[in-house]
Amino acid sequence: MSNEGYTRLDRHAHTAADDLRQFTLDVLHGLSEKPKRLPSRWIYDEHGSRLFNDICELQEYYPTRCEAEILHAHARDIVAAAGAPLDVIDLGAGDGRKSSILLEAASGARYVPIDISESAMQELVAAMRQRHPGIEVSGIIGEYFDALNWLSTRSGRRSLVLFLGSNIGNFSKVQARVFLRQLWEALNPGDLVLIGWDLKKDIDLLIDAYNDAKGVTAKFNTNLLARINRELGGEFNLEQFRHYATYDVYSGAIESYIVSMVRQTVAVKGLRTSFDFDEWEPIHTEYSYKYLQADIDALAAATGFAGVAQYHDSRRWFTDSLWKVVKD
Ligand SMILES: C[S@@+](CC[C@H](N)C(=O)[O-])C[C@H]1O[C@@H](n2cnc3c(N)ncnc32)[C@H](O)[C@@H]1O
């Protein structure tokens, strides 16, 4: 581990340069496709991670407040159910503000945040060491699937894996099932996972949460183009693109897009190429799937987990599942 308190763990990349190479390939691939798409993981550079923290403060963005309420009410029970010695492993940890509520009840545990955003990790490790002096913090920079590989190499300590903030909603329903099965495989019997799910609810509430009045979510989403400009020599004029988020009632997902408002050709010097956009052509950037309790229960049953507890906020807009790994 480095002095900063975190290590790098990338499947495709072992250095920041390799990370850049992967970003380059994903941009070339995604903007050459029809319909165009860019993976949402690339939103999270230093700017994107900060903007997501700002989103968490927005009046319209209820998930963070709902999940914080759940953790304040149940942190002790969750930690007690896990036992000791405990590793709290936080997948896609972000700024860890909610994980911190849980760590208040987990003295003596080790905290292992895993995130692709190096800037988020730097700030997180420093903040957690200060907030929780009794807890060893040892972060990992890596992608979710690298985290699974890392998890499968360890034994001896009980794991409580956090997958909070509706991170699972960024997977399609099939991807979520495959991911959860791989998570189950990587863990030992008796290990626990705590997963945050955003529940289906009034559609206007859902749409407002991804279309805030201050335009922070718009900046967050279009940070993808700003990042291409910064890191790959892109010439995107952000004034000519807009954020658009809508809810698909059939799939149950908020779908986020960046839409070109004019017909244009945009050069990306680092790729030595340019991309044509039609007037009103979208780039798909993110899914955020919403769930029913029955879907959640079915996923546990299909992937080998046994339900330990199901927690809700007072409005029942969000839920956290505590599941145990069962293997016989
Ligand atoms: C929506 S934020 C949630 C943060 C935090 N868990 C919460 O509940 O507030 C998603 C976090 O996951 C990280 N992330 C996104 N895609 C990832 C991936 N494929 N692998 C690892 N981390 C990822 C981002 O950098 C970001 O910090």
Side-chain angles (χ1 to χ4, degrees):
M1 201 191 358
S2 69
N3 289 339
E4 294 88 359
Y6 59 86
T7 47
R8 243 172 197 286
L9 187 78
D10 302 296
R11 182 176 29 159
H12 306 292
H14 295 281
T15 65
D18 289 334
D19 227 18
L20 183 64
R21 195 167 310 132
Q22 188 61 43
F23 180 43
T24 305
L25 289 176
D26 283 355
V27 170
L28 185 59
H29 187 177
L31 294 186
S32 305
E33 276 197 317
K34 280 252 177 204
K36 293 182 171 62
R37 62 185 175 87
L38 290 169
S40 61
R41 61 174 279 196
W42 299 114
I43 299 177
Y44 294 95
D45 63 353
E46 187 180 348
H47 297 265
S49 294
R50 289 245 162 80
L51 285 163
F52 182 74
N53 295 344
D54 295 343
I55 287 174
C56 293
E57 304 286 342
L58 293 169
Q59 192 254 323
E60 294 95 332
Y61 196 75
Y62 58 84
T64 309
R65 280 188 300 281
C66 292
E67 199 171 35
E69 181 192 327
I70 291 171
L71 292 172
H72 276 298
H74 301 290
R76 289 199 178 284
D77 296 343
I78 294 166
V79 171
L86 181 63
D87 279 352
V88 178
I89 297 150
D90 196 354
L91 298 183
D95 74 351
R97 69 177 74 188
K98 284 167 296 164
S99 316
S100 206
I101 302 168
L102 204 93
L103 293 180
E104 291 289 344
S107 59
R110 182 162 67 142
Y111 178 57
V112 186
I114 301 179
D115 204 291
I116 32 153
S117 171
E118 180 157 6
S119 68
M121 185 59 69
Q122 275 168 352
E123 290 182 17
L124 175 66
V125 168
M128 290 303 217
R129 284 180 168 169
Q130 200 173 30
R131 261 183 247 156
H132 305 284
I135 287 184
E136 183 192 335
V137 179
S138 130
I140 294 175
I141 297 174
E143 219 267 325
Y144 294 141
F145 287 92
D146 307 311
L148 294 179
N149 289 338
W150 175 79
L151 276 171
S152 65
T153 63
R154 27 181 321 286
S155 63
R157 290 172 70 93
R158 178 53 45 85
S159 295
L160 167 62
V161 175
L162 310 180
F163 202 34
L164 303 181
S166 179
N167 282 4
I168 194 148
N170 298 142
F171 292 141
S172 72
K173 297 267 168 92
V174 172
Q175 287 170 334
R177 185 175 166 152
V178 171
F179 179 79
L180 289 170
R181 182 66 187 187
Q182 286 178 286
L183 181 58
W184 177 88
E185 266 169 19
L187 292 171
N188 295 312
D191 285 343
L192 293 179
V193 299
L194 183 72
I195 305 174
W197 315 82
D198 196 8
L199 293 171
K200 285 186 176 169
K201 61 179 69 60
D202 185 88
I203 293 168
D204 290 335
L205 287 168
L206 293 175
I207 291 186
D208 285 354
Y210 295 83
N211 289 284
D212 66 277
K214 289 186 187 152
V216 182
T217 315
K219 260 200 191 143
F220 170 76
N221 193 18
T222 53
N223 183 52
L224 266 168
L225 301 187
R227 184 172 183 181
I228 295 173
N229 286 352
R230 283 192 297 273
E231 296 187 19
L232 303 180
E235 295 182 349
F236 285 97
N237 175 355
L238 297 196
E239 300 288 309
Q240 294 181 341
F241 290 85
R242 60 156 290 177
H243 162 73
Y244 176 67
T246 185
Y247 181 69
D248 179 349
V249 286
Y250 291 109
S251 66
I254 288 282
E255 298 181 349
S256 298
Y257 299 91
I258 301 171
V259 180
S260 173
M261 294 186 288
V262 297
R263 189 181 170 85
Q264 57 184 315
T265 298
V266 181
V268 181
K269 286 189 192 133
L271 301 183
R272 293 190 175 76
T273 190
S274 54
F275 299 97
D276 295 328
F277 290 83
D278 273 333
E279 220 170 342
W280 302 112
E281 183 176 350
I283 308 168
H284 176 263
T285 55
E286 191 170 61
Y287 289 111
S288 185
Y289 281 84
K290 309 303 168 189
Y291 280 83
L292 295 176
Q293 187 59 49
D295 305 328
I296 298 170
D297 294 343
L299 267 175
T303 53
F305 290 97
V308 174
Q310 193 70 45
Y311 306 110
H312 293 90
D313 63 294
S314 47
R315 290 179 294 192
R316 299 184 82 83
W317 284 0
F318 199 92
T319 190
D320 276 87
S321 309
L322 186 63
W323 293 347
K324 184 178 278 199
V325 176
V326 180
K327 299 186 181 179
D328 44 33

